[in-house]
Amino acid sequence: MGSGAEASRGGWSRRRFVGALGGAAAAAALAGCGTTPEASQPPGTAGTGAGSGSRRPAPDASGGSSGSTGPRPLYVGTYTSPEDGGKGIGLASYDSATGLITATGSGVLTGVADPSYLAVHPDGRTLYAVNEREQGAVTAVRLSDGRVLGSRATGGASPCHLSVHPGGRWLLTADYGSGSVSVHPIEASGAPGERTDRVTHSSPAPGPGQHGPHAHQFVTAPDGRHVLAVDLGTDTVYTYRLDDRAGTLTEVARAHTRPGAGPRQLAFHPGGRYAYLANEVDDTVAVCRYDPATGRLTVGDPQSTGSGKGTNYPAQFLVTANGSYAFLANRGHNSIARYAVEADGARLRLLGTVAVAGDFPRQIAFSPDGRLLFAANQRSGTVSVFHVDAERGGLRLAGDPFASPLAVCALPL
């Protein structure tokens, strides 16, 4: 979304979805909405519902293995506050061979407000959602039966991203509205505990056109020792060291983009030495060099998103497991840009773009086996699925997009 809509996300009348629907916003891996090899089926009994794709049975209790064919669980994040929004977390299944999506049971898991971003615990048992409201919170849901395990306040406003530390003990959340990041312990039940730390990005001064800090992502680096917070408002990526016993944060480095870039999210190359940054406001991307020893990120020169001269807000990168290709969601251009990754991760070469078959692809995610790519299209209220050719970097649409109100996050398990 544009910087104006993002920067003024203080209340629901000014939230990012309003900016997206209005279309005038000039100024919102472990990939989130991340995946895990094992997970339970969506709650509810098998049934039929609205949506694209042929009708297929719901996943079995185990959800199958990541390499198996047949139906797998899919969860869809949305906004529940607007009249035309969702009713909770969308429930569906997808065929891991064809990519076709079918609604599951009731088609929705209620009791979770404005679940705009989703992540799953490494053990596959618990789903986490941000509650993107002025009084921000995170909520945990047990996947085996859909029971809400509990919610905790983040201490900030409008949380828009969360991730689970690979060790499974800590939940990391980015609050867009307040420009803060928080840490919650994860209890034995999977529920979030009382917050152990929260840091607000008070410096540097907000970038051009911004009115304050806007944390947009909080993820763990491949080395596991550092966690990185991407802040759109301050044009900065902050690196923290996470105390794995106390759950506290110590800042160790800062990386600055050029003024007004508006960095939104980054994705690491599997080699762990490079990351790729999507700059939302100036419609560019950048290759970043990363030092695992110090946690220091160095931002490279801006590169094209493939959007041409039209208005576009790049959202999120994905990198194939073999490290050969990267994909970028382009909102506005309504495409997925394809890049060849060269020089062991040090270079991106734009190959072209593929139409997303939807409007405003806010988030993208791979299936656990990497053979499918899911795009959550906010304005059209759909989820598009593509077959991924990891050897050639190709994308092929799997069929008609699946209908889901205000789809802003797709989490295939």
Side-chain angles (χ1 to χ4, degrees):
M1 198 163 305
S3 61
E6 295 282 3
S8 61
R9 187 176 10 188
W12 273 106
S13 63
R14 299 176 295 167
R15 286 279 173 92
R16 96 177 75 184
F17 74 85
V18 173
L21 293 173
L30 306 181
C33 275
T35 59
T36 187
E38 299 177 358
S40 302
Q41 73 172 54
T45 57
T48 60
S52 304
S54 59
R55 294 180 179 180
R56 301 177 184 274
D60 61 25
S62 68
S65 66
S66 61
S68 66
T69 59
R72 301 275 306 169
L74 174 69
Y75 297 87
V76 182
T78 185
Y79 288 113
T80 60
S81 292
E83 287 187 13
D84 58 349
K87 303 301 181 184
I89 298 173
L91 305 178
S93 63
Y94 68 96
D95 187 292
S96 56
T98 67
L100 296 179
I101 302 175
T102 305
T104 299
S106 65
V108 65
L109 191 158
T110 59
V112 185
D114 297 310
S116 66
Y117 205 86
L118 310 174
V120 70
H121 193 279
D123 67 14
R125 298 177 181 176
T126 309
L127 179 72
Y128 298 96
V130 298
N131 304 119
E132 192 174 341
R133 296 190 161 187
E134 184 64 26
Q135 302 298 320
V138 290
T139 297
V141 178
R142 189 165 61 195
L143 287 178
S144 61
D145 59 5
R147 177 187 173 189
V148 175
L149 298 174
S151 296
R152 295 284 186 175
T154 64
S158 304
C160 65
H161 183 274
L162 81 171
S163 63
V164 182
H165 188 270
R169 297 182 56 195
W170 305 105
L171 188 63
L172 312 173
T173 309
D175 294 304
Y176 182 92
S178 53
S180 53
V181 293
S182 62
V183 181
H184 288 83
I186 295 176
E187 299 174 350
S189 66
E194 285 289 349
R195 186 175 66 249
T196 54
D197 205 355
R198 174 173 175 261
V199 177
T200 299
H201 299 149
S202 57
S203 66
Q210 301 294 337
H211 302 287
H214 296 299
H216 219 304
Q217 186 190 35
F218 199 22
V219 292
T220 306
D223 58 71
R225 298 186 300 274
H226 300 100
V227 291
L228 283 74
V230 182
D231 196 297
L232 181 150
T234 61
D235 293 326
T236 302
V237 181
Y238 303 82
T239 301
Y240 299 94
R241 187 177 293 278
L242 174 66
D243 187 317
D244 196 45
R245 291 181 295 178
T248 53
L249 300 168
T250 301
E251 184 180 324
V252 296
R254 295 183 183 183
H256 303 289
T257 67
R258 65 178 182 173
R264 179 185 177 91
Q265 288 195 9
L266 58 76
F268 278 91
H269 184 270
R273 296 282 181 173
Y274 297 95
Y276 312 112
L277 186 64
N279 294 316
E280 173 181 317
V281 178
D282 72 356
D283 188 23
T284 64
V285 301
V287 177
C288 304
R289 188 172 67 253
Y290 178 72
D291 181 358
T294 63
R296 184 170 298 279
L297 195 76
T298 303
V299 181
D301 294 333
Q303 297 181 222
S304 172
T305 64
S307 64
K309 297 181 179 180
T311 301
N312 184 60
Y313 311 111
Q316 181 181 0
F317 263 114
L318 291 179
V319 185
T320 56
N322 62 10
S324 297
Y325 297 95
F327 302 107
L328 173 73
N330 278 322
R331 299 168 300 164
H333 192 249
N334 289 336
S335 67
I336 298 175
R338 302 164 47 247
Y339 295 88
V341 180
E342 301 174 335
D344 295 324
R347 290 201 304 265
L348 288 180
R349 177 167 55 88
L350 181 64
L351 299 175
T353 60
V354 175
V356 79
D359 194 356
F360 226 65
R362 168 139 153 207
Q363 176 267 347
I364 52 178
F366 285 131
S367 59
D369 60 12
R371 296 178 182 177
L372 298 173
L373 183 150
F374 294 72
N377 304 307
Q378 181 174 357
R379 288 184 185 173
S380 56
T382 57
V383 177
S384 301
V385 185
F386 294 84
H387 294 281
V388 179
D389 184 343
E391 298 302 318
R392 298 176 179 83
L395 294 176
R396 176 172 56 86
L397 191 64
D400 292 336
F402 174 76
S404 185
L406 274 177
V408 291
C409 184
L411 174 57
L413 300 184

